[in-house]
Amino acid sequence: MYSNEDIESAVAAKIISRQAAQALRDHVAGVKKTSALDEENFRLLTGFNDLFVVMASLLLLGALFFICVYYYQQAWLGGLLVTGASWALAEYFVRQRHMALPAIVLLFTFIFGVGFATVSTLYVIGYLFVGELVAAILTALAALLHWRRFRTPITLAAGLGTVLLYVLMSLNKFLPAVAANVMPYVVFCMGLLAFAGAMYWDISDLRRQTRHSDIAFWLHLLAAPLLVHPVFNIMLADTSLLNIILILTLYVLIASFSLAIDRRALLYVK
């Protein structure tokens, strides 16, 4: 099975012409009786071998982490080794072999390693109180660096979600009295940012034939719960008839908007 990314790669290598590539897409769409615009296409597996690579990678990374954290009692070193090993494995399995599932898993282990190493290091030197804030900044920079190197479609969504997690942890630490009231608004604003990014990538690939569509898919998937849940949690605090009508109206508007932009993520989280 060939993805749009594979076809675009063949076009870039001048193996087939762009006209032939489009004719192939049109033929497949005709056979399936559906358009690429109506599909939520994204690559999760390039083959069954992805599973073996992921399992082997997780065993290796888990062993490095366990030895450093539980045997040598050096948590910061465990995070650092996981970060470095994840990057090294990605150089081969992602950059050279273009394997989809390992790309996703190694991205998450890389981000985890950066955050864990940052917080652990600040704990050792006595600055744990700013650990989450520093981790949020370094994680964002690390995700950006990873994106520039490997171009894994889920990177932007994963980085944004991780930054949000650290921001919420910092908010709960520094402003515990108001954190519960402020968090829904912070989550909603981050959802707007993710949604704006998703629409940007969607607009850049209206026919959904390139990697831009995959990036938009993951950002939509992140934005959906961040936008929907804070709004409904706030509205459900009031069970009056008027508020129930407003909630039902909002459901209809969300469903209509999801159909209008042809993205189903908002429908999945309601």
Side-chain angles (χ1 to χ4, degrees):
M1 179 180 179
Y2 301 103
S3 66
N4 276 319
E5 186 177 340
D6 296 326
I7 296 175
E8 285 297 316
S9 176
V11 172
K14 297 183 179 180
I15 297 174
I16 60 175
S17 67
R18 186 161 296 279
Q19 292 77 13
Q22 187 57 48
L24 175 60
R25 292 190 183 99
D26 294 340
H27 170 71
V28 173
V31 171
K32 294 182 177 180
K33 294 183 173 56
T34 183
S35 168
L37 298 177
D38 296 324
E39 297 289 339
E40 294 278 18
N41 289 315
F42 68 98
R43 290 205 307 171
L44 190 60
L45 285 172
T46 49
F48 195 71
N49 196 39
D50 284 28
L51 298 176
F52 293 107
V53 171
V54 165
M55 288 188 289
S57 298
L58 289 177
L59 285 173
L60 173 62
L61 296 173
L64 291 174
F65 185 78
F66 181 84
I67 291 172
C68 292
V69 175
Y70 295 101
Y71 187 76
Y72 288 107
Q73 302 293 314
Q74 299 293 330
W76 65 272
L77 182 59
L80 191 62
L81 286 179
V82 168
T83 300
S86 296
W87 186 284
L89 290 170
E91 284 289 344
Y92 178 70
F93 292 115
V94 180
R95 192 168 172 82
Q96 300 297 325
R97 296 287 303 277
H98 305 288
M99 303 180 79
L101 187 59
I104 295 173
V105 173
L106 291 173
L107 166 66
F108 279 108
T109 56
F110 173 76
I111 289 177
F112 166 79
V114 171
F116 191 86
T118 301
V119 174
S120 300
T121 301
L122 291 173
Y123 174 78
V124 170
I125 63 178
Y127 287 92
L128 183 60
F129 66 97
V130 294
E132 289 81 3
L133 283 176
V134 177
I137 296 171
L138 291 183
T139 298
L141 294 175
L144 181 60
L145 185 63
H146 194 281
W147 161 252
R148 291 182 63 86
R149 180 64 174 172
F150 301 107
R151 298 286 175 174
T152 305
I154 197 177
T155 302
L156 299 181
L160 194 60
T162 306
V163 169
L164 174 61
L165 176 63
Y166 284 126
V167 168
L168 294 179
M169 291 170 64
S170 299
L171 188 62
N172 192 53
K173 175 184 289 187
F174 293 111
L175 300 170
V178 298
N181 295 325
V182 174
M183 280 183 181
Y185 299 98
V186 175
V187 171
F188 183 78
C189 290
M190 193 66 78
L192 287 177
L193 181 61
F195 181 74
M199 293 305 299
Y200 168 80
W201 290 105
D202 258 341
I203 292 172
S204 68
D205 182 21
L206 294 176
R207 297 181 65 87
R208 297 187 181 176
Q209 295 177 349
T210 68
R211 186 178 298 183
H212 292 187
S213 179
D214 295 342
I215 300 169
F217 169 82
W218 291 111
L219 285 171
H220 276 296
L221 203 61
L222 173 67
L226 300 184
L227 290 173
V228 173
H229 289 305
V231 173
F232 280 101
N233 286 338
I234 293 173
M235 295 184 70
L236 288 173
D238 181 7
T239 57
S240 65
L241 178 60
L242 177 60
N243 205 49
I244 292 174
I245 294 174
L246 288 175
I247 291 174
L248 292 175
T249 303
L250 186 58
Y251 264 104
V252 174
L253 290 175
I254 290 174
S256 301
F257 187 72
S258 298
L259 294 174
I261 64 174
D262 202 12
R263 287 291 187 181
R264 302 173 182 86
L266 287 172
L267 295 174
Y268 295 154
V269 298
K270 290 191 300 177

